[in-house]
Amino acid sequence: MTVFVAACIQLRSGKDISENTARAEELIRAAAADGATFVQTPEMSNVLVRSREELAARIDVLERDPFVAMARRICAELGIFLHVGSVAVLLDGGKAANRAVLIAPGGAIVETYDKIHMFDVDLPGGESWRESSTYRPGEKVPVVDLPFGKLGMAICYDVRFPALFRAQARLGAEILTAPAAFTRQTGQAHWHVLQRARAIENGAYVISAAQGGRHEDERETFGHSLIVDPWGGVVAELDNDTPGHVVAEIDLGKVARARARIPAIANEREFDCRMTEAVRGEPA
């Protein structure tokens, strides 16, 4: 069975794309030096800015994004697979895409994924998010057959929608991903349990690089980049919100063993779900 080393890069992206790109490159090189051949960065690796107008003024189309250009160059140089957790890229019509990009060792873009589920919420304490006002949601969920295993792509809030990951697992995905910029508030409550749940219920590795700390636009993200094994064990964690990297050995034999012990995917059955209205009658 395939064994390889994966890495999560934890960032604290700000408004300056060139600064974010330079810091990420340093950390990617450090992860590769530690033996990683698959490296993942977090959601919104290129820029984090709350204002829709300011974001639109800073980003460009994917083909001209400086972060993606750096990622392609470093993959070609270091011979690694790089999963850019996501970048904000400009679309026609005034909106952006929250787009993950998977890059091969030669520097070619293998696959992209646009985040499907938009985080539209009002949180206690006055924090409010309306991703749908800025980003156009995607419609397709990929599974990529890589030399070392089958990988499913997702982003952040997607992790709360188990059907997405189950669909990937049914197609054979052995590695699931949820690179994120989780808010501190929701991260403290749910980050670890959601990552572990997706791993356990699908018998798959889950790799999730994260943003961490207080950003220029005043948001706070949780950090705690994680790699979880198919039995739900945390095999690597950057246990803070500071930029850095963490590596772990991925043994895809554990996927086969977990799915043999708990064959939840194989045992699934179709069923009907319906609402029943109770009828109140007079007692006999």
Side-chain angles (χ1 to χ4, degrees), residues 56-272:
R58 291 175 181 272
I59 63 175
D60 207 333
V61 297
L62 182 68
E63 293 75 15
R64 293 195 294 268
D65 180 79
F67 195 100
V68 173
M70 174 276 292
R72 297 183 70 177
R73 170 176 52 79
I74 204 169
C75 283
E77 178 187 341
L78 300 179
I80 61 172
F81 281 90
L82 181 55
H83 176 193
V84 178
S86 85
V87 288
V89 295
L90 196 62
L91 300 177
D92 295 333
K95 284 201 173 183
N98 185 345
R99 181 169 294 169
V101 184
L102 185 60
I103 303 167
I109 294 176
V110 175
E111 184 60 278
T112 63
Y113 163 71
D114 288 359
K115 184 178 179 181
I116 289 176
H117 298 101
M118 299 287 100
F119 189 49
D120 291 354
V121 66
D122 298 310
L123 296 172
E127 192 174 359
S128 179
W129 297 96
R130 290 291 181 274
E131 285 188 343
S132 62
S133 67
T134 302
Y135 299 99
R136 183 185 300 165
E139 297 178 346
K140 296 181 180 180
V141 179
V143 173
V144 188
D145 192 358
L146 297 172
F148 49 81
K150 295 180 176 65
L151 178 121
M153 299 172 73
I155 298 171
C156 196
Y157 190 44
D158 287 332
V159 79
R160 295 185 181 273
F161 299 85
L164 185 156
F165 297 88
R166 181 58 114 214
Q168 294 177 330
R170 286 196 199 105
L171 286 179
E174 301 153 290
I175 306 156
L176 305 173
T177 62
F182 247 60
T183 67
R184 182 175 300 281
Q185 187 175 357
T186 56
Q188 288 172 337
H190 297 150
W191 174 251
H192 290 82
V193 70
L194 286 169
Q195 305 292 329
R196 296 183 68 199
R198 299 297 83 83
I200 292 166
E201 66 200 9
N202 294 296
Y205 279 92
V206 176
I207 300 176
S208 297
Q211 295 278 354
R214 181 176 288 276
H215 302 262
E216 277 185 275
D217 67 357
E218 298 302 316
R219 83 180 73 193
E220 286 190 80
T221 53
F222 185 59
H224 293 263
S225 297
L226 283 179
I227 300 177
V228 183
D229 73 17
W231 204 244
V234 175
V235 295
E237 177 178 4
L238 196 56
D239 190 18
N240 52 55
D241 64 7
T242 303
H245 76 280
V246 64
V247 301
E249 183 178 87
I250 306 298
D251 177 2
L252 293 185
K254 290 185 177 181
V255 174
R257 292 192 289 274
R259 290 177 176 176
R261 291 175 70 183
I262 308 291
I265 299 171
N267 292 163
E268 280 187 322
R269 294 177 62 86
E270 296 294 328
F271 56 88
D272 291 328

